[in-house]
Amino acid sequence: MSERDLPEELVLYILDLCFELPSEDFLRFPTPDGARKNPSRNADILLVSRRWLRIGSPLLFASLRLSDPEHAISVARQLKNNPGLGSVICDVRIEGDCGDDLGSVLALTPNIQRLYVALDQKNNARAEGLRRALPYINPREVFIMDMTRMLRAFPLFPWGRGMRADEAMAAVEHVIAGHWSELQCVHLGPCNEVTPSLSQALERANAARAQRSSPALRIKRQRASVGIQ
């Protein structure tokens, strides 16, 4: 029997087992006592045939990690060339500067449920890009990791207290306060603080939620791992 004889339902089941990546693993925070290991999925199995590539590609996109402008450009191109592929993306992890095409990616991912965003002082230069991109989505949960604060604990990163991700964080606070109506929970990573500006954003969001008779946002500070609601 060749792979062409396998029913598509069976191929999909096999690939789903190979690519299964629980949200709690994909969205786990790093901790000061040890860097997070990025879980990986072996996509080489899709090279078996074009049929397997067609069947399995949506499974790979269910959890999307973006970390640099070149990757964001590539993903935006794939989403534009494959209508409907963006609709399968549920979890997005943004780490680092993703450039101007971050908005192009998020505009094509209407069903994002959970967003992880790691910020450091380098993101400040792209704060306006974040401010434009983030309103395209409306997640139920957001995971915020202030890498600048955490890396101060390591002597290899001589970042003083003047090194902050305030402008990038302000872009996230902006959408929490006025755009993310479906948001239910804010997860704060190790070393993150509820700053006065974040507190104000949460108050504005909760005021709007009260008008809709929706429950207040839940705030969870994480130390080692996260639990998905």
Side-chain angles (χ1 to χ4, degrees):
M1 175 184 290
S2 70
E3 66 84 14
R4 291 190 299 272
D5 297 320
L6 296 175
E8 287 203 3
E9 293 80 3
L10 180 57
V11 174
L12 180 62
Y13 178 74
I14 293 171
L15 294 176
D16 190 33
L17 291 177
C18 293
F19 296 152
E20 184 179 9
L21 179 59
S23 291
E24 58 265 28
D25 290 337
F26 182 70
L27 298 165
R28 183 168 289 126
F29 286 114
T31 58
D33 57 353
R36 168 189 176 272
K37 293 183 179 180
N38 290 320
S40 61
R41 293 170 291 183
N42 188 359
D44 290 347
I45 193 173
L46 296 183
L47 300 179
V48 168
S49 70
R50 290 183 179 179
R51 187 170 75 113
W52 282 44
L53 179 62
R54 172 179 57 80
I55 296 171
S57 291
L59 298 175
L60 278 180
F61 273 82
S63 300
L64 177 65
R65 178 177 177 267
L66 299 169
S67 59
D68 59 69
E70 290 74 18
H71 187 208
I73 291 172
S74 175
V75 170
R77 185 182 303 116
Q78 291 185 60
L79 295 181
K80 290 175 183 177
N81 292 338
N82 297 276
L85 189 58
S87 64
V88 306
I89 300 174
C90 295
D91 299 336
V92 171
R93 188 179 180 100
I94 299 174
E95 296 179 319
D97 174 16
C98 293
D100 296 332
D101 278 84
L102 176 61
S104 299
V105 173
L106 297 187
L108 297 170
T109 53
N111 297 325
I112 290 177
Q113 298 295 304
R114 291 167 288 271
L115 172 70
Y116 177 107
V117 56
L119 305 172
D120 61 39
Q121 83 282 359
K122 292 181 291 185
N123 294 113
N124 289 334
R126 295 286 188 177
E128 186 57 35
L130 274 175
R131 187 181 291 266
R132 291 195 303 267
L134 293 178
Y136 281 117
I137 61 175
N138 197 359
R140 290 191 296 111
E141 298 183 72
V142 61
F143 299 76
I144 304 171
M145 182 67 208
D146 188 335
M147 294 300 297
T148 300
R149 290 179 183 273
M150 192 185 80
L151 291 176
R152 289 195 193 115
F154 294 89
L156 293 178
F157 295 89
W159 293 351
R161 293 192 174 275
M163 292 286 193
R164 304 174 66 92
D166 290 348
E167 294 178 41
M169 185 63 193
V172 178
E173 293 166 351
H174 174 73
V175 287
I176 289 175
H179 291 274
W180 287 348
S181 59
E182 296 297 321
L183 189 63
Q184 299 175 12
C185 186
V186 177
H187 300 262
L188 299 176
C191 306
N192 278 56
E193 299 176 354
V194 179
T195 62
S197 60
L198 177 57
S199 179
Q200 185 178 36
L202 295 171
E203 289 177 2
R204 289 179 56 192
N206 282 328
R209 295 174 67 83
Q211 293 180 352
R212 303 192 302 269
S213 299
S214 299
L217 291 173
R218 289 173 292 135
I219 311 299
K220 293 189 176 183
R221 296 194 63 178
Q222 306 297 331
R223 291 299 178 184
S225 61
V226 299
I228 305 303
Q229 304 301 315

